[in-house]
Coordinates of all heavy atoms in Angstrom, one line a residue:
M1 N 108.4 95.2 110.1 CA 107.9 95.3 108.7 C 108.2 93.9 108.1 O 109.2 93.3 108.3 CB 108.6 96.3 108.1 CG 108.1 96.7 106.7 SD 108.5 98.3 106.2 CE 110.1 98.0 105.3
E2 N 107.3 93.6 107.2 CA 107.3 92.3 106.5 C 108.2 92.3 105.3 O 108.1 93.3 104.5 CB 105.9 91.9 106.1 CG 105.7 90.6 105.7 CD 104.2 90.2 105.4 OE1 103.4 90.6 106.2 OE2 104.0 89.6 104.4
Q3 N 109.1 91.4 105.1 CA 109.9 91.2 103.9 C 109.2 90.4 102.9 O 108.6 89.5 103.2 CB 111.2 90.5 104.3 CG 112.0 91.3 105.4 CD 113.0 92.3 104.5 OE1 113.3 92.1 103.5 NE2 113.7 93.2 105.3
H4 N 109.4 90.8 101.6 CA 108.8 90.0 100.6 C 109.9 89.5 99.7 O 110.9 90.1 99.4 CB 107.9 90.9 99.6 CG 106.7 91.5 100.4 ND1 105.8 90.7 100.9 CD2 106.5 92.8 100.7 CE1 104.9 91.5 101.5 NE2 105.3 92.7 101.4
D5 N 109.7 88.3 99.1 CA 110.7 87.7 98.3 C 110.4 88.0 96.8 O 109.4 88.6 96.5 CB 110.9 86.2 98.5 CG 109.6 85.4 98.3 OD1 108.6 86.0 97.8 OD2 109.5 84.2 98.6
D6 N 111.3 87.6 95.9 CA 111.0 87.7 94.5 C 109.9 87.1 94.0 O 109.1 87.7 93.2 CB 112.3 87.3 93.7 CG 113.5 88.2 93.9 OD1 113.4 89.3 94.3 OD2 114.6 87.6 93.6
A7 N 109.5 86.0 94.5 CA 108.3 85.3 94.0 C 107.0 86.0 94.4 O 106.1 86.1 93.5 CB 108.2 83.8 94.5
Y8 N 107.0 86.6 95.6 CA 106.0 87.4 96.0 C 105.8 88.6 95.1 O 104.7 88.9 94.7 CB 106.1 87.9 97.4 CG 105.1 88.8 97.9 CD1 103.8 88.3 98.6 CD2 105.2 90.2 97.8 CE1 102.8 89.2 98.9 CE2 104.2 91.0 98.1 CZ 103.0 90.6 98.7 OH 102.0 91.4 99.2
D9 N 106.9 89.3 94.8 CA 106.9 90.4 93.9 C 106.3 90.1 92.6 O 105.5 90.9 91.9 CB 108.3 91.1 93.9 CG 108.7 91.6 95.2 OD1 107.9 92.0 96.0 OD2 109.9 91.8 95.3
R10 N 106.8 88.9 92.0 CA 106.2 88.5 90.7 C 104.8 88.3 90.6 O 104.1 88.7 89.7 CB 107.0 87.3 90.2 CG 108.5 87.6 89.7 CD 109.1 86.4 89.0 NE 109.0 85.1 89.7 CZ 109.9 84.5 90.3 NH1 111.1 85.1 90.5 NH2 109.7 83.4 90.9
R11 N 104.3 87.7 91.8 CA 102.8 87.4 91.9 C 102.1 88.7 92.0 O 101.0 88.8 91.4 CB 102.6 86.4 93.1 CG 103.1 85.0 92.9 CD 102.6 84.2 94.0 NE 102.9 84.5 95.3 CZ 103.9 84.0 96.0 NH1 104.8 83.2 95.4 NH2 104.1 84.5 97.2
Q12 N 102.6 89.6 92.7 CA 102.0 90.9 92.9 C 101.8 91.7 91.6 O 100.8 92.4 91.4 CB 102.7 91.7 94.0 CG 101.8 92.9 94.5 CD 100.5 92.4 95.1 OE1 100.4 91.6 96.0 NE2 99.5 93.0 94.7
V13 N 102.9 91.6 90.8 CA 102.8 92.3 89.5 C 101.7 91.7 88.7 O 100.9 92.4 88.0 CB 104.1 92.1 88.7 CG1 104.0 92.5 87.3 CG2 105.2 93.0 89.4
I14 N 101.5 90.4 88.7 CA 100.4 89.7 88.0 C 99.1 90.1 88.5 O 98.1 90.5 87.7 CB 100.6 88.2 88.0 CG1 101.8 87.8 87.2 CG2 99.3 87.5 87.4 CD1 102.2 86.4 87.5
I15 N 99.0 90.1 89.8 CA 97.6 90.5 90.5 C 97.4 91.9 90.1 O 96.2 92.2 89.7 CB 97.7 90.4 91.9 CG1 97.7 88.8 92.3 CG2 96.6 90.9 92.7 CD1 98.2 88.5 93.7
D16 N 98.3 92.8 90.3 CA 98.1 94.3 90.0 C 97.6 94.4 88.4 O 96.7 95.2 88.2 CB 99.3 95.1 90.2 CG 99.6 95.2 91.7 OD1 98.8 94.9 92.5 OD2 100.8 95.6 91.9
R17 N 98.3 93.8 87.6 CA 97.9 93.9 86.1 C 96.5 93.3 85.9 O 95.7 93.9 85.2 CB 98.9 93.2 85.2 CG 98.6 93.5 83.8 CD 99.7 93.0 82.7 NE 99.6 91.6 82.7 CZ 100.6 90.8 83.1 NH1 101.7 91.3 83.6 NH2 100.6 89.5 83.1
M18 N 96.2 92.2 86.5 CA 94.9 91.6 86.3 C 93.7 92.5 86.8 O 92.7 92.7 86.2 CB 94.9 90.2 86.9 CG 95.7 89.2 86.2 SD 95.8 87.6 87.0 CE 94.2 86.9 86.5
L19 N 94.1 93.2 88.0 CA 93.1 94.1 88.5 C 92.9 95.2 87.6 O 91.7 95.7 87.3 CB 93.5 94.5 89.9 CG 93.3 93.5 91.1 CD1 94.0 94.0 92.2 CD2 91.9 93.1 91.3
A20 N 93.9 95.8 87.1 CA 93.9 97.0 86.1 C 93.1 96.5 84.9 O 92.3 97.3 84.4 CB 95.3 97.4 85.8
E21 N 93.5 95.4 84.4 CA 92.7 94.9 83.1 C 91.2 94.6 83.5 O 90.4 94.7 82.6 CB 93.4 93.6 82.6 CG 94.7 94.0 82.0 CD 95.5 92.7 81.5 OE1 95.0 91.7 81.8 OE2 96.5 92.9 81.0
A22 N 90.9 94.2 84.6 CA 89.5 94.0 85.0 C 88.7 95.4 84.9 O 87.5 95.4 84.5 CB 89.4 93.4 86.4
L23 N 89.4 96.4 85.3 CA 88.8 97.8 85.3 C 88.7 98.3 83.9 O 87.9 99.1 83.5 CB 89.5 98.7 86.3 CG 89.4 98.4 87.7 CD1 90.3 99.3 88.5 CD2 88.0 98.4 88.2
H24 N 89.8 98.1 83.1 CA 89.9 98.5 81.7 C 90.3 97.4 80.8 O 91.5 97.3 80.5 CB 90.9 99.7 81.7 CG 90.7 100.8 82.7 ND1 89.7 101.7 82.5 CD2 91.3 101.1 83.9 CE1 89.8 102.5 83.6 NE2 90.7 102.1 84.4
P25 N 89.4 96.6 80.5 CA 89.7 95.4 79.7 C 90.3 95.7 78.3 O 89.9 96.7 77.8 CB 88.4 94.6 79.6 CG 87.4 95.5 79.9 CD 88.0 96.6 80.7
V26 N 91.1 94.9 77.8 CA 91.7 95.0 76.5 C 91.0 93.9 75.7 O 91.3 92.7 75.9 CB 93.3 94.9 76.5 CG1 93.8 95.0 75.1 CG2 93.8 95.9 77.4
D27 N 90.1 94.4 74.7 CA 89.3 93.3 74.0 C 90.1 92.4 73.1 O 89.7 91.2 73.0 CB 88.3 94.1 73.1 CG 87.3 94.8 74.0 OD1 87.0 94.4 75.1 OD2 86.7 95.8 73.6
D28 N 91.2 92.9 72.6 CA 91.9 91.9 71.6 C 93.1 91.2 72.2 O 93.8 90.5 71.6 CB 92.4 92.8 70.5 CG 93.4 93.8 70.8 OD1 93.5 94.1 72.0 OD2 94.0 94.3 69.9
Y29 N 93.2 91.2 73.6 CA 94.3 90.5 74.2 C 93.8 89.2 74.7 O 92.7 89.0 75.3 CB 94.8 91.3 75.5 CG 95.8 90.5 76.2 CD1 97.1 90.5 75.7 CD2 95.5 90.0 77.5 CE1 98.1 89.8 76.4 CE2 96.5 89.3 78.1 CZ 97.8 89.2 77.6 OH 98.7 88.5 78.4
R30 N 94.6 88.2 74.3 CA 94.3 86.8 74.7 C 95.6 86.1 75.3 O 96.7 86.4 74.8 CB 93.8 85.9 73.5 CG 92.4 86.4 73.0 CD 92.1 85.5 71.9 NE 92.1 84.1 72.3 CZ 91.0 83.3 72.4 NH1 89.9 83.7 72.0 NH2 91.2 82.1 72.8
L31 N 95.3 85.4 76.3 CA 96.5 84.6 76.9 C 96.9 83.4 75.9 O 96.1 83.0 75.2 CB 96.2 84.1 78.2 CG 96.0 85.0 79.3 CD1 95.4 84.4 80.7 CD2 97.3 85.7 79.7
P32 N 98.2 83.2 75.9 CA 98.6 82.2 75.1 C 98.2 80.8 75.5 O 97.8 80.5 76.7 CB 100.2 82.1 75.2 CG 100.4 82.8 76.4 CD 99.3 83.7 76.7
S33 N 97.9 79.9 74.6 CA 97.5 78.6 74.9 C 98.7 77.8 75.3 O 99.9 78.2 75.2 CB 96.8 77.9 73.7 OG 97.9 77.6 72.7
H34 N 98.5 76.6 75.8 CA 99.7 75.7 76.2 C 100.6 75.5 75.1 O 101.8 75.6 75.3 CB 99.1 74.4 76.7 CG 100.1 73.4 77.2 ND1 100.8 72.5 76.4 CD2 100.6 73.2 78.5 CE1 101.6 71.8 77.1 NE2 101.5 72.2 78.4
D35 N 100.1 75.3 73.9 CA 101.0 75.1 72.7 C 101.9 76.3 72.3 O 102.9 76.1 71.7 CB 100.1 74.6 71.5 CG 99.6 73.3 71.8 OD1 100.0 72.5 72.6 OD2 98.5 73.0 71.2
A36 N 101.3 77.5 72.7 CA 102.0 78.7 72.3 C 103.1 79.0 73.3 O 103.9 79.9 73.0 CB 101.1 79.9 72.2
L37 N 103.2 78.4 74.4 CA 104.2 78.7 75.4 C 105.6 78.1 74.9 O 105.6 77.2 74.2 CB 103.8 78.0 76.7 CG 102.7 78.6 77.5 CD1 102.4 77.7 78.7 CD2 102.9 80.0 78.0
P38 N 106.7 78.8 75.4 CA 108.0 78.3 75.2 C 108.1 76.9 75.7 O 107.4 76.5 76.6 CB 109.0 79.2 76.0 CG 108.2 80.4 76.2 CD 106.7 80.0 76.2
E39 N 109.0 76.0 75.2 CA 109.0 74.7 75.5 C 109.3 74.5 77.0 O 108.7 73.6 77.7 CB 110.2 74.0 74.8 CG 110.3 72.4 75.1 CD 111.4 71.8 74.3 OE1 112.0 72.4 73.3 OE2 111.7 70.7 74.7
D40 N 110.1 75.3 77.7 CA 110.4 75.1 79.1 C 109.2 75.4 79.9 O 108.9 74.8 80.9 CB 111.6 75.8 79.6 CG 111.6 77.3 79.2 OD1 110.6 77.8 78.6 OD2 112.4 78.1 79.8
M41 N 108.3 76.3 79.5 CA 107.1 76.7 80.2 C 106.1 75.6 80.0 O 105.3 75.2 81.0 CB 106.5 78.0 79.8 CG 107.3 79.3 80.1 SD 107.2 79.5 81.9 CE 108.9 79.2 82.4
R42 N 106.0 75.0 78.8 CA 105.1 73.9 78.6 C 105.4 72.7 79.5 O 104.6 72.1 80.2 CB 105.2 73.4 77.2 CG 104.4 74.3 76.2 CD 104.2 73.7 74.8 NE 105.4 73.0 74.2 CZ 106.2 73.6 73.5 NH1 106.0 74.9 73.1 NH2 107.2 73.0 72.9
K43 N 106.8 72.5 79.7 CA 107.1 71.4 80.6 C 106.8 71.7 82.1 O 106.4 70.8 82.7 CB 108.7 71.2 80.4 CG 109.2 70.5 79.2 CD 110.6 70.3 79.2 CE 111.1 69.7 77.8 NZ 112.5 69.5 77.7
A44 N 106.9 73.0 82.4 CA 106.5 73.4 83.8 C 105.0 73.1 84.0 O 104.7 72.6 85.0 CB 106.9 74.8 84.1
V45 N 104.2 73.5 83.0 CA 102.7 73.3 83.1 C 102.4 71.8 83.2 O 101.7 71.3 84.0 CB 102.0 74.0 81.9 CG1 100.6 73.5 82.0 CG2 102.1 75.4 82.0
D46 N 103.1 71.0 82.3 CA 102.9 69.6 82.3 C 103.2 69.0 83.6 O 102.6 68.1 84.1 CB 103.6 68.9 81.2 CG 103.2 69.3 79.8 OD1 102.0 69.7 79.7 OD2 103.9 69.1 78.8
Q47 N 104.3 69.4 84.2 CA 104.8 68.8 85.5 C 103.8 69.2 86.6 O 103.5 68.4 87.4 CB 106.2 69.5 85.9 CG 106.8 69.0 87.2 CD 108.2 69.6 87.5 OE1 108.8 70.2 86.6 NE2 108.5 69.5 88.7
L48 N 103.3 70.4 86.6 CA 102.2 70.7 87.5 C 101.0 70.1 87.4 O 100.4 69.5 88.4 CB 102.0 72.3 87.5 CG 103.1 73.2 88.0 CD1 103.0 74.7 87.5 CD2 103.4 73.1 89.5
L49 N 100.5 69.9 86.1 CA 99.3 69.1 85.9 C 99.5 67.6 86.3 O 98.6 67.0 86.9 CB 99.0 69.1 84.4 CG 98.5 70.5 83.9 CD1 98.3 70.5 82.4 CD2 97.1 70.9 84.5
A50 N 100.7 67.1 86.0 CA 100.9 65.6 86.4 C 101.0 65.5 87.9 O 100.4 64.5 88.6 CB 102.3 65.3 85.8
K51 N 101.6 66.5 88.7 CA 101.6 66.4 90.1 C 100.2 66.5 90.7 O 99.8 65.8 91.5 CB 102.4 67.6 90.7 CG 102.6 67.5 92.1 CD 103.6 68.5 92.6 CE 103.9 68.2 94.1 NZ 105.1 68.7 94.6
A52 N 99.4 67.4 90.1 CA 98.0 67.6 90.7 C 97.2 66.3 90.4 O 96.5 65.8 91.3 CB 97.3 68.7 90.0
E53 N 97.4 65.7 89.2 CA 96.7 64.5 88.9 C 97.1 63.3 89.8 O 96.4 62.5 90.3 CB 96.8 64.0 87.4 CG 96.1 62.8 87.0 CD 96.3 62.6 85.5 OE1 96.4 63.6 84.8 OE2 96.3 61.4 85.2
A54 N 98.4 63.2 90.0 CA 99.0 62.1 90.8 C 98.6 62.2 92.2 O 98.3 61.2 92.9 CB 100.6 62.1 90.7
Q55 N 98.4 63.4 92.7 CA 98.0 63.6 94.1 C 96.5 63.7 94.2 O 96.0 63.9 95.3 CB 98.7 64.8 94.7 CG 100.2 64.7 94.8 CD 100.8 66.0 95.3 OE1 100.2 67.0 95.5 NE2 102.1 65.9 95.5
R56 N 95.9 63.7 93.1 CA 94.4 64.0 93.1 C 94.0 65.2 93.8 O 93.1 65.2 94.6 CB 93.7 62.8 93.6 CG 93.8 61.5 92.7 CD 92.9 60.3 93.1 NE 93.0 59.3 92.2 CZ 93.3 58.1 92.3 NH1 93.8 57.8 93.5 NH2 93.4 57.2 91.4
M57 N 94.7 66.3 93.5 CA 94.6 67.6 94.1 C 94.0 68.6 93.1 O 94.4 68.5 91.9 CB 95.9 68.1 94.7 CG 96.5 67.1 95.8 SD 95.7 67.1 97.3 CE 95.8 68.7 97.9
R58 N 93.3 69.6 93.6 CA 92.9 70.7 92.8 C 93.6 72.0 93.3 O 93.4 73.1 92.7 CB 91.4 70.9 92.9 CG 90.7 69.8 92.3 CD 90.6 69.9 90.7 NE 91.1 68.6 90.2 CZ 91.7 68.5 89.1 NH1 92.0 69.4 88.3 NH2 92.1 67.3 88.6
R59 N 94.5 71.8 94.2 CA 95.3 73.0 94.7 C 96.7 72.5 94.8 O 97.1 71.4 95.3 CB 94.8 73.4 96.1 CG 93.5 73.9 96.2 CD 93.1 74.3 97.6 NE 93.2 73.2 98.5 CZ 93.6 73.3 99.8 NH1 94.0 74.5 100.3 NH2 93.8 72.3 100.5
L60 N 97.7 73.4 94.3 CA 99.0 73.2 94.5 C 99.6 74.4 95.2 O 98.9 75.5 95.3 CB 99.7 73.2 93.1 CG 99.3 71.9 92.2 CD1 99.9 72.0 90.8 CD2 99.7 70.6 92.9
T61 N 100.8 74.3 95.7 CA 101.4 75.5 96.4 C 102.3 76.3 95.6 O 102.8 75.8 94.5 CB 102.1 74.9 97.6 OG1 103.3 74.2 97.2 CG2 101.3 74.1 98.5
Y62 N 102.7 77.4 96.0 CA 103.6 78.3 95.3 C 105.1 77.6 95.3 O 105.8 77.7 94.4 CB 103.7 79.7 95.9 CG 102.6 80.6 95.5 CD1 101.6 80.8 96.4 CD2 102.5 81.1 94.3 CE1 100.6 81.7 96.1 CE2 101.5 81.8 93.9 CZ 100.5 82.1 94.9 OH 99.4 82.9 94.5
E63 N 105.3 76.7 96.3 CA 106.5 75.9 96.3 C 106.6 75.0 95.2 O 107.5 74.8 94.5 CB 106.6 75.2 97.6 CG 108.0 74.4 97.9 CD 108.1 73.8 99.2 OE1 108.0 74.6 100.2 OE2 108.3 72.6 99.2
D64 N 105.3 74.3 94.9 CA 105.3 73.4 93.7 C 105.6 74.2 92.4 O 106.3 73.7 91.6 CB 103.8 72.8 93.7 CG 103.4 71.9 94.8 OD1 104.3 71.2 95.4 OD2 102.3 71.9 95.2
L65 N 105.0 75.4 92.3 CA 105.2 76.2 91.2 C 106.6 76.6 91.0 O 107.2 76.4 89.9 CB 104.4 77.5 91.3 CG 104.6 78.6 90.2 CD1 104.1 78.0 88.8 CD2 103.8 79.8 90.5
E66 N 107.3 77.0 92.1 CA 108.7 77.4 92.1 C 109.6 76.1 91.6 O 110.6 76.3 90.8 CB 109.2 77.9 93.4 CG 108.6 79.3 93.7 CD 109.1 80.3 92.9 OE1 110.2 80.3 92.4 OE2 108.3 81.4 92.7
E67 N 109.2 74.9 92.1 CA 110.0 73.8 91.7 C 109.9 73.4 90.2 O 110.9 72.9 89.6 CB 109.6 72.5 92.6 CG 110.0 72.7 94.0 CD 109.4 71.6 94.8 OE1 108.7 70.7 94.3 OE2 109.6 71.5 96.1
A68 N 108.7 73.7 89.7 CA 108.4 73.4 88.3 C 109.0 74.3 87.3 O 109.3 74.1 86.2 CB 107.0 73.2 88.0
L69 N 109.2 75.6 87.7 CA 109.7 76.7 86.8 C 111.1 76.5 86.3 O 111.9 75.9 87.1 CB 109.6 78.1 87.5 CG 108.2 78.6 87.8 CD1 108.2 79.9 88.6 CD2 107.4 78.7 86.5
P70 N 111.4 76.8 85.2 CA 112.8 76.6 84.7 C 113.7 77.5 85.3 O 113.4 78.5 85.9 CB 112.7 76.9 83.1 CG 111.5 77.9 83.1 CD 110.6 77.4 84.1
P71 N 115.0 77.3 85.3 CA 116.1 78.0 85.9 C 116.5 79.3 85.1 O 117.6 79.6 84.9 CB 117.3 77.1 86.0 CG 117.1 76.2 84.9 CD 115.7 76.0 84.7
R72 N 115.5 80.1 84.7 CA 115.7 81.3 84.0 C 114.7 82.3 84.6 O 113.8 82.0 85.3 CB 115.5 81.1 82.5 CG 114.1 80.9 82.1 CD 113.8 81.1 80.6 NE 112.5 80.6 80.2 CZ 111.4 81.4 80.1 NH1 111.5 82.6 80.4 NH2 110.4 80.9 79.6
D73 N 115.0 83.5 84.2 CA 114.0 84.6 84.6 C 112.7 84.4 84.0 O 112.6 84.3 82.8 CB 114.5 86.0 84.3 CG 115.7 86.4 85.2 OD1 115.7 85.9 86.3 OD2 116.4 87.4 84.8
V74 N 111.6 84.2 84.7 CA 110.3 83.9 84.2 C 109.6 85.3 84.1 O 109.5 85.9 85.2 CB 109.6 82.9 85.1 CG1 108.2 82.7 84.6 CG2 110.4 81.5 85.1
T75 N 108.9 85.6 83.1 CA 108.2 86.8 82.8 C 106.9 86.7 83.6 O 106.4 85.6 83.8 CB 108.0 87.1 81.4 OG1 107.1 86.2 80.9 CG2 109.4 87.2 80.7
S76 N 106.3 87.9 83.9 CA 104.9 87.9 84.5 C 103.9 87.4 83.5 O 103.0 86.6 83.9 CB 104.7 89.3 84.9 OG 104.6 90.2 83.8
E77 N 104.2 87.5 82.2 CA 103.3 86.9 81.2 C 103.4 85.4 81.3 O 102.3 84.7 81.1 CB 103.6 87.4 79.8 CG 103.3 88.9 79.6 CD 104.4 89.8 80.1 OE1 105.4 89.3 80.5 OE2 104.0 91.0 80.2
D78 N 104.6 84.8 81.4 CA 104.7 83.3 81.5 C 103.9 82.9 82.8 O 103.2 81.9 82.7 CB 106.2 83.0 81.7 CG 107.0 83.0 80.5 OD1 106.4 83.2 79.4 OD2 108.2 83.2 80.7
L79 N 104.1 83.6 83.9 CA 103.4 83.1 85.1 C 101.8 83.3 85.0 O 101.0 82.4 85.3 CB 103.8 84.0 86.4 CG 105.2 83.6 86.8 CD1 105.6 84.7 87.9 CD2 105.3 82.3 87.4
E80 N 101.4 84.4 84.3 CA 99.9 84.6 84.1 C 99.4 83.5 83.2 O 98.4 82.9 83.5 CB 99.8 85.9 83.5 CG 98.3 86.3 83.4 CD 98.1 87.6 82.8 OE1 99.0 88.3 82.5 OE2 96.9 88.0 82.8
A81 N 100.2 83.0 82.2 CA 99.7 82.0 81.3 C 99.7 80.7 82.1 O 98.7 79.9 81.9 CB 100.7 81.9 80.2
I82 N 100.6 80.4 83.0 CA 100.6 79.1 83.8 C 99.3 79.2 84.7 O 98.6 78.2 84.7 CB 101.9 79.0 84.6 CG1 103.0 78.7 83.7 CG2 101.7 78.0 85.6 CD1 104.4 78.8 84.3
F83 N 99.0 80.3 85.4 CA 97.9 80.4 86.3 C 96.7 80.2 85.4 O 95.8 79.4 85.8 CB 97.8 81.7 86.9 CG 98.8 81.8 88.1 CD1 99.9 82.7 88.1 CD2 98.6 81.0 89.2 CE1 100.7 82.8 89.1 CE2 99.4 81.2 90.4 CZ 100.6 82.1 90.3
W84 N 96.5 80.7 84.3 CA 95.4 80.6 83.4 C 95.2 79.2 82.9 O 94.1 78.7 83.1 CB 95.6 81.6 82.1 CG 94.3 81.6 81.3 CD1 94.1 80.9 80.1 CD2 93.2 82.4 81.5 NE1 93.0 81.1 79.7 CE2 92.3 82.1 80.4 CE3 92.8 83.3 82.4 CZ2 91.1 82.7 80.3 CZ3 91.5 83.9 82.3 CH2 90.7 83.5 81.3
I85 N 96.2 78.6 82.4 CA 96.1 77.2 81.9 C 95.7 76.2 83.1 O 94.9 75.4 82.9 CB 97.4 76.8 81.3 CG1 97.6 77.6 79.9 CG2 97.4 75.2 81.0 CD1 98.9 77.5 79.4
L86 N 96.3 76.4 84.3 CA 96.1 75.6 85.4 C 94.6 75.8 85.8 O 93.8 74.9 86.1 CB 97.0 75.9 86.6 CG 98.4 75.4 86.4 CD1 99.2 75.8 87.6 CD2 98.5 73.9 86.1
S87 N 94.1 77.0 85.8 CA 92.7 77.3 86.1 C 91.7 76.6 85.1 O 90.6 76.3 85.6 CB 92.5 78.9 86.3 OG 92.4 79.4 85.1
E88 N 92.1 76.5 83.9 CA 91.3 75.9 83.0 C 91.1 74.5 83.3 O 90.1 73.8 82.9 CB 91.8 76.1 81.5 CG 91.6 77.5 80.9 CD 92.3 77.6 79.6 OE1 93.3 76.8 79.2 OE2 91.9 78.5 78.8
H89 N 92.1 73.9 84.0 CA 92.0 72.5 84.4 C 91.5 72.4 85.9 O 91.5 71.3 86.4 CB 93.4 71.8 84.3 CG 93.9 71.6 83.0 ND1 93.6 70.5 82.2 CD2 94.7 72.5 82.1 CE1 94.2 70.7 81.1 NE2 94.8 71.8 81.0
G90 N 91.0 73.5 86.4 CA 90.4 73.5 87.8 C 91.5 73.4 88.9 O 91.1 73.0 89.9
I91 N 92.6 73.8 88.6 CA 93.8 73.7 89.5 C 94.2 75.2 90.0 O 94.4 76.1 89.1 CB 95.0 73.0 89.0 CG1 94.6 71.6 88.6 CG2 96.1 73.0 90.0 CD1 95.5 70.9 87.8
A92 N 94.3 75.3 91.3 CA 94.7 76.6 91.8 C 96.1 76.6 92.5 O 96.4 75.5 93.0 CB 93.6 77.1 92.9
I93 N 96.8 77.7 92.5 CA 98.0 77.8 93.2 C 97.8 78.6 94.4 O 97.2 79.7 94.2 CB 99.2 78.4 92.3 CG1 99.3 77.6 91.1 CG2 100.5 78.6 93.1 CD1 100.1 76.3 91.3
E94 N 98.0 78.1 95.6 CA 97.8 78.8 96.8 C 98.9 78.8 97.7 O 99.9 77.9 97.6 CB 96.5 78.2 97.5 CG 95.3 78.2 96.6 CD 94.1 77.6 97.3 OE1 94.3 76.8 98.3 OE2 93.0 77.7 96.8
D95 N 99.0 79.8 98.7 CA 99.9 79.7 99.8 C 99.7 78.6 100.7 O 98.5 78.1 100.8 CB 99.9 81.0 100.6 CG 100.5 82.2 99.9 OD1 101.5 82.0 99.1 OD2 100.0 83.3 100.1
G96 N 100.8 78.1 101.3 CA 100.6 77.1 102.4 C 100.6 75.7 101.8 O 101.0 75.3 100.7
D97 N 100.0 74.8 102.6 CA 100.0 73.4 102.3 C 98.9 73.0 101.4 O 97.8 73.4 101.6 CB 99.9 72.6 103.6 CG 100.5 71.3 103.7 OD1 101.1 70.9 102.7 OD2 100.5 70.6 104.7
A98 N 99.2 72.2 100.4 CA 98.1 71.8 99.4 C 97.2 70.7 100.0 O 96.1 70.6 99.5 CB 98.8 71.2 98.2
A99 N 97.5 70.1 101.1 CA 96.7 69.1 101.7 C 95.5 69.7 102.4 O 95.1 70.6 102.5 CB 97.5 68.3 102.7

């Protein structure tokens, strides 16, 4: 049987909610903009954007994401906002090697 870590569980919560919302959209719900994020989350997004730009990559890994996240419990809403903002810049977070 396969073991899952906390990061996997957090990602799965986001995926499950996004699938549920795709089936039953909430019209008045909007993800926060970069400016609306808490300061530590803005720094994480900025760090990920800078890494992608420096490496001229459009894909980062979940390891890159974990390194950028602040040392606090990150909510699924925070992660969803990060994924959304990165996708607006054409950057995806994927399993495995970014190369």
Side-chain angles (χ1 to χ4, degrees):
M1 189 157 91
E2 193 175 316
Q3 295 268 347
H4 299 295
D5 60 7
D6 289 340
Y8 175 89
D9 293 338
R10 289 192 307 259
R11 291 190 301 267
Q12 194 60 49
V13 166
I14 293 169
I15 291 167
D16 291 345
R17 187 176 66 246
M18 291 174 80
L19 288 172
E21 289 174 358
L23 295 173
H24 307 286
V26 179
D27 294 333
D28 62 347
Y29 176 73
R30 294 183 52 119
L31 289 171
S33 71
H34 182 271
D35 295 334
L37 292 173
E39 183 178 349
D40 58 351
M41 286 294 113
R42 285 194 311 269
K43 288 180 182 178
V45 170
D46 291 342
Q47 182 179 343
L48 291 166
L49 291 172
K51 183 169 191 161
E53 184 177 327
Q55 295 177 354
R56 294 190 169 115
M57 301 289 294
R58 293 286 126 206
R59 295 182 303 144
L60 296 172
T61 66
Y62 284 106
E63 185 176 303
D64 296 327
L65 175 62
E66 290 292 328
E67 289 173 3
L69 292 176
R72 67 165 172 91
D73 286 340
V74 177
T75 67
S76 60
E77 290 81 11
D78 290 335
L79 287 174
E80 187 175 6
I82 289 171
F83 283 111
W84 184 263
I85 292 166
L86 291 176
S87 71
E88 288 178 334
H89 290 273
I91 299 168
I93 302 285
E94 300 177 348
D95 283 328
D97 211 1

